[in-house]
Amino acid sequence: DTAVSQTPKYLVTQMGNDKSIKCEQNLGHDTMYWYKQDSKKFLKIMFSYNNKELIINETVPNRFSPKSPDKAHLNLHINSLELGDSAVYFCASSQRGQSSYNSPLHFGNGTRLTVT
Amino acid sequence: GEDVEQSLFLSVREGDSSVINCTYTDSSSTYLYWYKQEPGAGLQLLTYIFSNMDMKQDQRLTVLLNKKDKHLSLRIADTQTGDSAIYFCAEKGSGNTGKLIFGQGTTLQVKP
């Protein structure tokens, strides 16, 4: 199946731990993103990579570090987890193109992170 | 700046039409999108409209764009219980990064 897949689907961990979320896309896209969805369902972009190069780095704590080993993968590592990090994290991909190019985002099913 | 606003909740009866509204601020947006999120799932692209169009129809979905007022709407005809979900309006962000700016989402509740 062609898709954006992320693992794990659920992640429950204690404060202070370090955890990673993995994302892979087989759509041939050149750009990948991490979005955070809070408890009110608000979606906010965190990071974006285009061809393994970081192009968006919104105001996110340094404890969050994205890594893109190749253009089909974008992982998110989180150090020293805090209660406020609890959220659903979505990976997405698109083909960037020019500003006039239609490039909808294709989303994974999300990773629900719960920090206790 | 870039901002997208939606009303938070809409309740309709099965068989009625639903209209979900959205306003955006970036007049240079080239594309505007509607996504659907069912419980426990990711966002699914429903439809989109290019900024030089004012209407697009796709089966039960009709998108209307008023560029002057920066207003976008999604009409779902003959709403079914399976349409119950959160609907997100999104505009393509400036700067050619490809990112989308999302509204807060409108929860559509369809009563039988």
Side-chain angles (χ1 to χ4, degrees):
Chain A
D1 286 343
T2 54
V4 179
S5 56
Q6 51 182 113
T7 55
K9 188 172 170 64
Y10 299 98
L11 187 52
V12 181
T13 189
Q14 291 185 325
M15 282 174 57
N17 284 347
D18 303 338
K19 290 292 178 187
S20 292
I21 307 171
K22 295 188 175 183
C23 181
E24 175 182 3
Q25 55 94 5
N26 61 5
L27 297 164
H29 290 160
D30 62 3
T31 306
M32 295 183 74
Y33 310 80
W34 279 110
Y35 277 80
K36 179 179 179 180
Q37 186 174 44
D38 63 22
S39 57
K40 294 182 179 176
K41 306 298 182 187
F42 183 64
L43 276 158
K44 186 170 169 54
I45 188 155
M46 299 172 70
F47 301 104
S48 176
Y49 272 74
N50 173 257
N51 285 318
K52 301 196 298 176
E53 187 180 332
L54 182 66
I55 57 169
I56 296 176
N57 185 356
E58 296 288 311
T59 308
V60 176
N62 291 337
R63 299 181 294 102
F64 290 79
S65 52
K67 283 190 172 51
S68 182
D70 55 60
K71 71 174 190 177
H73 294 84
L74 180 61
N75 303 323
L76 184 65
H77 188 75
I78 315 169
N79 287 329
S80 303
L81 278 154
E82 300 178 357
L83 292 176
D85 297 332
S86 295
V88 181
Y89 292 84
F90 285 101
C91 177
S93 72
S94 73
Q95 190 64 22
R96 189 176 162 195
Q98 298 297 313
S99 59
S100 59
Y101 180 71
N102 182 16
S103 54
L105 268 58
H106 296 256
F107 282 84
N109 283 333
T111 296
R112 182 174 292 278
L113 171 64
T114 304
V115 183
T116 61
Chain B
E2 301 159 326
D3 195 20
V4 179
E5 301 256 342
Q6 299 176 237
S7 52
L8 295 180
F9 187 77
L10 176 65
S11 180
V12 300
R13 292 237 171 254
E14 194 172 17
D16 288 350
S17 291
S18 307
V19 179
I20 302 171
N21 295 301
C22 169
T23 57
Y24 61 97
T25 54
D26 188 352
S27 57
S28 65
S29 290
T30 50
Y31 286 93
L32 294 134
Y33 303 88
W34 284 104
Y35 281 82
K36 176 183 180 183
Q37 184 180 27
E38 295 181 359
L43 278 75
Q44 171 197 355
L45 177 67
L46 275 182
T47 187
Y48 63 90
I49 190 165
F50 187 48
S51 57
N52 70 352
M53 299 168 65
D54 50 23
M55 185 180 100
K56 181 179 178 182
Q57 187 147 6
D58 184 358
Q59 299 181 331
R60 292 191 297 123
L61 304 178
T62 303
V63 179
L64 294 178
L65 175 60
N66 181 327
K67 204 172 175 186
K68 174 175 164 288
D69 294 339
K70 296 184 199 145
H71 183 267
L72 183 74
S73 67
L74 174 70
R75 179 177 180 270
I76 306 173
D78 187 26
T79 314
Q80 304 297 307
T81 53
D83 295 324
S84 294
I86 303 175
Y87 291 81
F88 290 92
C89 166
E91 65 172 347
K92 192 170 180 181
S94 59
N96 195 25
T97 59
K99 74 177 181 182
L100 297 187
I101 311 296
F102 287 87
Q104 315 95 305
T106 299
T107 298
L108 174 64
Q109 179 189 66
V110 182
K111 296 178 181 176

